[in-house]
Amino acid sequence: MTSERWLPIESNPEVMNSFLRKLGVPEDWEVNDVFGLDEELLLMLPQPVLALLLLFPINDKYHEFAKEMEEASSKEEISDKVFYMKQTISNACGTVALMHAVANNTDSIKLKEGALKEFLNTSDTKSPAERAELLEADDDICHCHDDAAKEGQTSAPGREDCVDYHFVAFVQVDGGLYELDGRKTGPVRKGASNPATFMKDAAGACQEYMRRDPENINFTVLALTAKMD
């Protein structure tokens, strides 16, 4: 992990959407709160849903679960169509999760000219570790991130503050459900999925985290969706 730290981005759709706009994501797509993982609540989200983002507390249960998932996923074939990057910048998990969400849906999201489109073009043939190095050196994305982080409703923690929460993204790529966590060794394939079942499949993956830590209520789920009418 590099010594570089960014300002943590707030788990607030308004802040996240500001960041996406700065990166060049068109207004046709936005982040929305997920108020529950039951099917009827998921169906209230604007359609289609392209990704779910899960924010959760980092503790021993996370580390145990992460190890188990990586061991299980090592036996699965990972599609070469999955865009994955490591997270080497402290406090940048929200940024990396949003980038994973968008980068794996560029068949639906037509990026405008801007920082993210340029990053994806430059990093297309790079390894996950090389993509992390490119992000460390990308002043444009760093400035977009910091500008958005400062717009949060709560006072943003300082760069040196320890933030004990982490974001992961769930996406559907090439017939599989993938968990993308920049702290892991690579993408984790959670099973088969398709656009019609993605929401239910990703919700189930989020619930798996929650079942591992049932006494903890500090989970937040957001979705990257079509713009709400």
Side-chain angles (χ1 to χ4, degrees), residues 12-217:
N12 175 330
E14 199 170 310
V15 172
M16 290 182 155
N17 288 326
S18 173
F19 175 55
L20 292 180
R21 301 293 167 261
K22 295 177 195 297
L23 289 181
V25 175
E27 292 188 5
D28 298 342
W29 303 97
E30 64 183 15
V31 173
N32 283 296
D33 283 311
V34 176
F35 295 110
L37 296 174
D38 295 335
E39 187 172 359
E40 60 269 20
L41 291 173
L42 291 172
L43 290 173
M44 292 173 63
L45 290 165
Q47 303 295 316
V49 174
L50 301 182
L52 288 190
L53 307 174
L54 175 66
L55 177 68
F56 57 88
I58 296 174
N59 52 30
D60 290 342
K61 290 184 174 65
Y62 160 69
H63 294 298
E64 292 167 7
F65 189 31
K67 184 178 179 181
E68 289 176 20
M69 280 195 293
E70 291 201 85
E71 288 174 353
S73 186
S74 66
K75 303 169 187 174
E76 298 272 358
E77 183 175 348
I78 304 299
S79 170
D80 58 8
K81 295 181 181 179
V82 176
F83 177 93
Y84 174 77
M85 61 187 291
K86 297 287 288 180
Q87 181 200 335
T88 53
I89 302 169
S90 294
N91 298 339
C93 62
T95 295
V96 171
L98 285 167
M99 291 175 68
H100 276 147
V102 175
N104 284 286
N105 283 291
T106 52
D107 54 340
S108 297
I109 301 172
K110 306 306 178 188
L111 290 171
K112 298 178 182 179
E113 295 300 323
L116 183 54
K117 187 174 184 179
E118 185 174 340
F119 177 86
L120 295 181
N121 288 339
T122 303
S123 67
D124 183 47
T125 60
K126 304 294 186 184
S127 71
E130 289 170 333
R131 288 167 177 165
E133 291 177 3
L134 286 173
L135 183 60
E136 289 177 23
D138 196 313
D139 289 339
D140 289 340
I141 292 180
C142 179
H143 292 152
C144 291
H145 171 102
D146 276 6
D147 287 348
K150 291 171 184 174
E151 295 173 10
Q153 295 176 353
T154 58
S155 177
R159 295 181 195 279
E160 302 309 314
D161 290 350
C162 180
V163 179
D164 296 324
Y165 288 86
H166 188 54
F167 269 109
V168 298
F170 294 95
V171 297
Q172 186 278 135
V173 179
D174 197 22
L177 174 69
Y178 288 92
E179 177 184 326
L180 304 177
D181 177 348
R183 291 186 170 210
K184 292 189 173 72
T185 56
V188 173
R189 193 178 192 275
K190 303 291 289 179
S193 188
N194 60 63
T197 67
F198 166 69
M199 243 187 346
K200 181 180 178 181
D201 299 333
C206 292
Q207 289 169 325
E208 198 174 358
Y209 267 94
M210 296 171 184
R211 285 195 296 270
R212 296 291 294 239
D213 200 359
E215 296 178 3
N216 203 317
I217 61 170

